[in-house]
Structures are given as C-alpha cells and as structure tokens.
Amino acid sequence: MSKKGYFTELYVGGKSLLVGLGVTFKACLQPIVTVQYPREKLDITPNYRGHIELRRDPESGECPCIVCGMCARACPSGCITVEGEKKEGEKGKTLTVFALDFTRCSLCGTCVETCPKGAIDFSQDYNIAGFTREEFHYDLIRRLEERG
Amino acid sequence: MMESLMPELIRMVVAAVLVVAFVFLNAMIMGYLERKLSAHIQRRPGLMEVGPHGILQLLIDGLKLIGKQLVIPEKSDHFLFRLAPVLSFAPVVLPFIVIPFSRKLVIRDLDVGLIFILAISSLNVLTILVAGWSSNNKYSLFGAVRSVAQNISYEIPMLLSLLAVVLMTGTFSLQGIVAAQGKIWFFLIQPIAFITYIIAGVAETNRAPFDLPEAESELTAGYHTEYSGMGFSLFMLAEYANMFIVCSIATTLFLGGWRGIPLPFGDYSGIIWFFLKVYGLMVFLVWIRWTYPRTRFDQLMNFCWKYLIPFALVNVLVTAVLVKVL
Amino acid sequence: MSEAQAPLHHRFHLNMGPQHPSTHGVLRVILEMDGEYVLNPQPVLGYGHRMQEKMAEARAWPGFYPNTARMDYAGALHYNHGYCALIERLAGIEVPPRAEYIRVITSELNRIASHLLWYGALLLDLGAFTPILYTFDDREQILDILEDITGSRLTYCYFRAGGVSRDIDDKFVERTRAFITRLRSRFPMLEKLVNGNVIFLKRVEGVGIIDKDMCQRYGATGPVARGAGVPYDVRRAEPYSVYPEFDFEIPVGENGDSLDRFLVRFKEMEQSLRIIEQALDRLPDGPVMAKVPKKLKLSPGDVSFAVEAARGELTYYLISDGTEVPYRMRIRVPSYSNLSVLPELCHGMLLSDLVAAMGSLDLVIPEIDR
Ligand code: SF4
Ligand code: SF4
C-alpha cells in the first residue's frame, strides 16, 4: 500500500472501478443468453445418454435380444433383470422380462457396450420426475411395445 | 380551536397514509428494477412470469411474505425480536416529511430539514442492532456489530459533504437549498462533496460493495438471518426506503431537486423531474451493486478515514474560505 | 492477533457449514473466534462420504468406471483418465494414439470448465454476483461440446481402459475450435471486470499466504503449490499420455497468496487452450480403442498412476491379487491435502479473509469425502 502514492492509488483504483461499470453496462445491452426452460427447450444431442431402452432391428422389426444376460452381469449397479424362456420350435430363448431399476443406474453405458446383439440403446428422456421409486422401475419390453 | 386544528389533522393523516403507501410502492418498484437490471447485466431476462414482463411479481412476492409464518427462534428475546422490524420502519418514514417533491408538494418545509433527516436516519442503525442482538444468533450479531461501526463512521463524511452545500446556501431548509440552485446545480460546483456523499450513502444503506452487515457469503444473511415472512419484508421495505431517502437528499442538494427543463405538465413537471433524478440515482446504485465484489471490514474503515474524511474536510474548508472571500 | 491477546472467555465457536453459502458442498468448519478474528478453524469432514474406495474393492474393475466421475464432479474426466491409465499400466495395454489425443483434448476442456466454475464461485464468495454468470455462459459451451461426445454433461464416463468409448467427429473439432476463439475473446472482459478491480485485488492480495515449505509439509499440489512458486505439474514432472508432445507453460506465482493462486488458474486456462489447439492440429487417424479382452484378470502386484487433475495431483493406487476384483484401492485426492493447510493458513485471519482464502483453494468437497 505504501509503495504507491496516495493519489496514484486513488486514481488507479477509481479507474478500475469505472472500467468494471463499463463492462456490466455493455453486458446489459447485449442479448440474453439463457433459455426459458419450460417455455423453450433446447434440442438435445442425439448422443445423449439417458436410461437404456430396448431397440428394434431396423430390418426385421424385432428386438434382437438373445437373453444372454451379459448386460445384466456387466452392469456395475446390478440394475438390469433379464429373463427368458425356451419356446417350442424356436431357436434360443424368448425375452419375457427386461426390467431396469433406474434409481440405481449410473448411466455409464457399460451394458450397451457389452451387448453382443446391439439390442439396447440410450433413450433421449432427460426430464423425468416422479413421486415414488417404483415409477423408475421400468419394464423395457412394455415400453418397446408402446413405442410400436 | 378545534376548527383550526382539523385541517391540519386531516393533512397529517393523509400524509401519513400516502407516505406509508409510497414506501410499499417504492419497494415494489425498486425490487422490480433491481431484479430486472441485475438480470440484464447477467444476460438473462429476469422476471417474466407474473404479468407482462413480470411486473406483478413483486405484488405476489409481497402477498407470499405476508402469508408466511414469522418464525421466532426459541432462545431469542421475543419482545425485541418482534419490535425490531417495526422499529426499522419509523426512521425511514419520518424523513418524507421534509423532502420537497416539487415547488409545492412538501409536507412540512422545516427550517432545519436537513438536520432533521440526518438525525432521524441515524436511528436506523439502532434497529439493526436490536434485530441482530435479539436474534441470539452469532451471524446476526456479527452483522449488527459491523453495521453499527460502519454506519457511525460513514456518518462523518456524509455530514461533512452536506455541510459544504449548507455553507454555500446558508440554509438547512431543503426548499431553500433547491431555490439556491436556480442557475447551476451543485454537483458541478461541489463534485467532491457529491462523490463523497454518494459513497457514504451507499455505505449508509448497507448496499454492495459495502453490504458487510448482510454479507451472505460470510454471514449467511447478517442481521436478518433469523427473520422470515413479514419481519423480513419490513427490513426490505426499510432498506429500499432508505435508499430512496439517501438518493432524494442527493437529488435535492446536488442535482437541483425538482428543477429541470419545464415539461408541459405545469406544476407537476417538478414532481416528474424529482422522481426521474431519484430513480436514476437508485438505478446507478443497483448497477454498482451488481458489478463489484464486497470490501473487507478494515478496508471499509480505512477508506473512510484515509480518503473520504480528509477529502470532505478539505472540501469544507475550501468552500468556507471561498464563501467568505467571494 | 495471537492467542495470548485473546483471553479464553472472549473466545467463542462459530459453526460454518455444513450448510453455508461459502462452504460449497457440505464442508463444515468449526471456527474458534475472537471477535471477527479466526483463531482455530477445524474442518469437519465426512458429510458426503460414499465409500468410493471400498466400492472399488467390491466389484470387477470395469464396474468402477462410473464411480470415478462422482468424486470430483467439476473435473470428472481427469478421474476417468487416472483410473483407465492405471488399469492400462497394470495390464500392459497400449492405447492407440488417436485415443490419447482425444483424452488430452477432452481432459483439457474439462480443466477449463472446472476453472471457470471456480472463477465464478470465488467471486461469489467475495460478494460479486455477476462474474459467475459470465463464466457459466462459457462453461456451458464446453458442457455442450462434451455432452455431444460423451453423452453426459457432468459425470462423464467416457474413457475406457484401452481408449475412449466413442470417436470424435468433425463437428467436435469445429466446435472446439470455435470455443477456443470465443474464450480467448472473453478473457479481456473478465480481466477488466475482475482481475483489475481494486476491490477484488485488495481482498486477495497478501491474503492466505502459503509458502513452499507449507506446501511440502501438507502435500499441497496443483495450483495451490504452483501459486507458491513450486513449478510442480504432473503433466511435466511425470509425463503421461501424450503431454510431452505439446508445448505449454506452467504458470507459477511468487508470493503464494490468494491472488497468485487466482492468477495461476487464470493463466492455466490459456495454457489449456494452447494444448487443445496443438492436439487438434496434429490429431492422428486410427482406432480409438485397443484390443482389450472382455474378461481381463488383473495381474497380481501393485501399481499406481498419477494425473494432474484440475485441483492438483490425483493418484490411484491399486493392489491386485490376480482376480478381476481389486484387492485394495486407494485414491489420493488433491483437495484433501489442499484443505489440510486451512488450520495453519487461517490462524488469526479475519472471517472475510477466511472466506477468500478458502475460495482460492478451490475445494470440491465430494472429492475430499469420497
Ligand atoms: S448404464 Fe450402466 S448402470 Fe445403467 S443399466 Fe447400463 S450398465 Fe447398468
Ligand atoms: S440386451 Fe443384449 S446383452 Fe442384454 S440379454 Fe439381450 S442380447 Fe444379451
């Protein structure tokens, strides 16, 4: 403090304050950068990783899952349950249960990477809310059927 | 006897109602301006939801605050805790008595108007102390103690800067001071006094960068940490009204009061000019608040003693000499 | 103010946190005070403890990927990086060069995002509300870029042992270049608004001086040590990934006060931009993932790996008994050592200075608690 002179300090300090005022004044005249969320929404990137979702094979229109259970074993949080049953006259198993406990999912993407058939994918849902835990226990087969 | 008193009584009641109503209105206007301006400075739109551009938001907020429960901490001094917000209201209402809004619109033009305002508004610090003490919370107490030290020290440069104007005009009456600014407004003759007064005024109203008594990153909310509902809103009302008073003194003493280029509204143009100037100053204070960080306590005091008081003192001396000589 | 001057009956305790506006997160500091002077601040930890290390010891090693991002939420990619590099070192996996470049680019973007967040938060601690919104505006651009490539905005789980989970595209390169130009053009504005502001300078100049000796005693690293004039940066001291290929400076301070720490971080942002630019220019083609067996048993032995996180040196240490599940995992986080200077640093300070000094340490509490 004593290094600088009394008046120099006053001048330098005062000038820096005025410069600061100038910055905020300029900002005041510039356009708004925020998005008014519930009224406007930004497009979310297609690469967004929401909770997982079963997907259909674009050619056959069927879900290619072979009920191998790799995804369920790979999931670090143990939130996938896969069950299937053997049907007469068909090769392999048919998927009967594919449940996701989203309350425990950490959105890591390991399941999607391990699936040998590419049967699962990320959804684009990001604003999900609910009152009970059960609302986040998803039955992915039903969701797949609902999507048509 | 009664008959001659009646009009006076009616005048007083009307004035009291108007002043209290204005204090509420002022808080709403300032609350809105502050939130809108800070939003635009930060490049967001701010209030948008209630009413066009959110102008009714403050009304809703007021209703919400009235509807809220006043939580009284168990270990606090209940009586003082309730009293403090009410008490904070008195010193901000009384100065309105002498403020000249226009050539004619003034409740009472006292001869000692300026002294009256300064005396009353220094009571403000008492209510903050009472609030901080009675809350029985260390953060509140810190806020209160800081506020006392700050307000009392900054009263000195404030008085000194006003004194320079008083020396020039030779009157304490606010109308008299406005009348003396017929040719030239005093902030041109007394720039140092004007700047000193504005800085001291910011400190007196406890606003950033001197908002130490309510420094939220240090003291959560300072002296009104424990207040909720109406208790809290009374403090807010008082803060904004206090700002209004500080700015209207600045307007009256330095910016020519209600004077201005005549507008086609006859006598009302004075009122318009007055409010334009006062709100202009208040917007300036808001702008400052949203630009700067907060000072530290000892720096605040240093600034007062090292810069403001010497400058104001020299200014008063020079003014006195010049008044005598010229 | 020394203790001799403050009689015992004048002292009192002030509880700062766990919910307090300037103890970002859930840090609690018990302050022994004499008036406004802090005599003995004692941090209390553990409000956000989640047993991250134990979790690593209870599952196969790939299962720990998502956890790494949950420690330091402001600079998650460095934690990703450290963990993946640790496994690679243990298993002897060679990472394709393109993947290394992508790692460096995204990590440096993340470092800038973390510094921008801290920049605003420090100013908020000092009572200026506006800068944080400006820096958030810039930070948002980084988050958008990273979201597009990693799929999440904050708790990334992007790096994998052997590479990265997804390749970058031209759009990413373009956006990153645009961001570099944008951020460079924003620095002068911040310099005018904050760095030169007299009130700000008075608040941080000479406040909270940490000298070299203190850094050594407490193991403080990162910008805290560099602010004290110790040019220690893991990217230089123990180069990892492709950092040796880039030309960048390590800014250091002189006095070790809060201002120096502030300036070090501010200059680091520019250096990170330089690294990103060089990396984008030389980005090689090729795969982004090495061949890693699906089921990889960790070979027995112990291994450690250090990276330069946004807050300082981050070390993972792992002991393996030859199974898929780590036998012991230890994580050395920078904020923990940086916080431990607090009692000595803030002895005899004003309360306002404590807030400034603590802000300049850039603490992330979930990282300390783990
Ligand atoms: S994203 Fe991760 S945590 Fe979620 S279900 Fe898939 S593997 Fe499990
Ligand atoms: S989704 Fe994929 S990994 Fe999971 S059971 Fe079906 S085929 Fe196997």
Side-chain angles (χ1 to χ4, degrees), chain A residues 3-121:
Chain A
K3 268 178 267 165
K4 282 187 242 160
Y6 180 82
F7 287 101
T8 338
E9 202 177 338
L10 192 64
Y11 172 73
V12 173
K15 204 175 127 197
S16 77
L17 294 181
L18 290 182
V19 167
L21 280 181
V23 171
T24 40
F25 183 72
K26 243 190 258 160
C28 199
L29 302 179
Q30 277 167 341
I32 282 152
V33 291
T34 53
V35 173
Q36 303 310 299
Y37 165 60
R39 310 239 179 275
E40 314 163 39
K41 280 182 193 164
L42 290 175
D43 289 332
I44 195 146
T45 150
N47 300 336
Y48 180 75
R49 291 210 305 238
H51 65 79
I52 53 166
E53 199 85 273
L54 284 172
R55 60 182 278 273
R56 287 173 200 278
D57 189 4
E59 279 165 32
S60 64
E62 289 297 314
C63 176
C65 174
I66 50 166
V67 203
C68 64
M70 300 238 312
C71 53
R73 256 171 286 140
C75 174
S77 322
C79 46
I80 303 178
T81 319
V82 195
E83 276 169 31
E85 59 181 25
K86 191 101 176 115
K87 275 204 189 133
E88 287 296 313
E90 269 182 39
K91 264 203 283 160
K93 286 192 199 163
T94 324
L95 191 61
T96 50
V97 176
F98 200 112
L100 168 72
D101 180 357
F102 189 49
T103 55
R104 286 156 65 192
C105 172
S106 48
L107 299 172
C108 62
T110 318
C111 49
V112 176
E113 275 163 41
T114 42
C115 177
K117 289 282 166 189
I120 34 186
D121 203 355

Side-chain angles (χ1 to χ4, degrees), chain A residues 1 5-7 9-10 16-18 20-22 24-25 27-34 36 39, chain B residues 37 39-46 48-49 284 287-288 290-292 302-303 306-308 310-311:
Chain A
M1 178 161 275
Y6 180 82
F7 287 101
E9 202 177 338
L10 192 64
S16 77
L17 294 181
L18 290 182
L21 280 181
T24 40
F25 183 72
C28 199
L29 302 179
Q30 277 167 341
I32 282 152
V33 291
T34 53
Q36 303 310 299
R39 310 239 179 275
Chain B
L37 256 165
H40 279 279
I41 284 177
Q42 298 168 348
R43 305 188 61 187
R44 51 193 178 84
M48 278 312 244
E49 291 299 314
F284 179 67
W287 179 18
I288 287 182
W290 294 95
T291 305
Y292 299 143
N302 269 346
F303 184 68
K306 275 179 67 180
Y307 289 101
L308 285 187
F311 269 88

Side-chain angles (χ1 to χ4, degrees), chain C residues 8-272:
Chain C
L8 271 179
H9 64 277
H10 280 178
R11 296 193 200 163
F12 59 94
H13 284 97
L14 186 69
N15 221 332
M16 200 163 155
Q19 275 95 33
H20 185 278
S22 68
T23 58
H24 310 281
V26 280
L27 175 66
R28 176 176 170 209
V29 190
I30 300 178
L31 306 169
E32 198 180 331
M33 313 267 300
D34 174 39
E36 284 234 16
Y37 287 93
V38 179
L39 295 179
N40 188 14
Q42 285 303 336
V44 183
L45 304 178
Y47 288 91
H49 186 52
R50 287 147 299 162
M51 305 182 292
Q52 299 281 19
E53 290 171 1
K54 194 72 203 161
M55 273 194 240
E57 294 159 16
R59 53 182 65 179
W61 63 268
F64 194 60
Y65 283 146
N67 292 56
T68 56
R70 266 85 180 165
M71 280 180 268
D72 178 0
Y73 51 79
L77 279 176
H78 304 118
Y79 278 67
N80 276 194
H81 199 162
Y83 184 66
C84 296
L86 175 88
I87 300 293
E88 284 153 12
R89 184 175 275 180
L90 189 62
I93 302 169
E94 193 67 36
V95 184
R98 185 175 171 87
E100 288 285 21
Y101 271 77
I102 296 175
R103 280 183 182 182
V104 166
I105 297 170
T106 46
S107 296
E108 292 306 316
L109 278 176
N110 205 189
R111 186 186 316 276
I112 298 174
S114 165
H115 283 353
L116 284 172
L117 172 69
W118 154 84
Y119 189 98
L122 172 69
L123 266 295
L124 206 58
D125 284 350
L126 297 179
F129 299 87
T130 305
I132 193 169
L133 284 132
Y134 295 167
T135 56
F136 256 62
D137 186 7
D138 296 323
R139 180 173 171 267
E140 203 62 21
Q141 313 296 320
I142 301 183
L143 295 195
D144 282 347
I145 294 173
L146 288 180
E147 181 189 18
D148 197 23
I149 195 79
T150 66
S152 30
R153 291 181 74 77
L154 204 61
T155 47
Y156 313 107
C157 180
Y158 178 48
F159 299 168
R160 300 280 186 272
V164 295
S165 68
R166 155 186 239 126
D167 199 359
I168 57 174
D169 47 15
D170 290 342
K171 195 167 135 226
F172 173 86
V173 177
E174 215 173 277
R175 285 175 86 179
T176 312
R177 283 198 196 279
F179 171 75
I180 295 174
T181 331
R182 176 199 156 102
L183 190 63
R184 287 226 168 102
S185 72
R186 297 272 284 186
F187 283 147
M189 187 270 284
L190 289 177
E191 267 166 12
K192 273 198 256 171
L193 179 64
V194 178
N195 298 20
N197 187 297
V198 62
I199 303 177
F200 168 76
L201 289 176
K202 292 256 179 224
R203 282 298 301 275
V204 290
E205 234 171 5
V207 168
I209 296 180
I210 303 179
D211 56 19
K212 289 182 187 175
D213 174 52
M214 211 162 148
C215 288
Q216 254 168 23
R217 273 187 288 128
Y218 289 100
T221 50
V224 176
R226 291 196 285 276
V230 185
Y232 178 72
D233 188 317
V234 186
R235 289 175 294 178
R236 269 287 154 75
E238 250 179 273
Y240 58 98
S241 194
V242 283
Y243 278 110
E245 294 176 23
F246 302 119
D247 170 33
F248 63 98
E249 280 154 30
I250 297 172
V252 287
E254 279 168 28
N255 311 322
D257 55 2
S258 301
L259 178 64
D260 275 347
R261 292 192 281 281
F262 173 86
L263 288 177
V264 162
R265 288 201 190 87
F266 193 73
K267 289 177 194 151
E268 253 173 41
M269 286 198 265
E270 169 57 31
Q271 296 306 323
S272 292

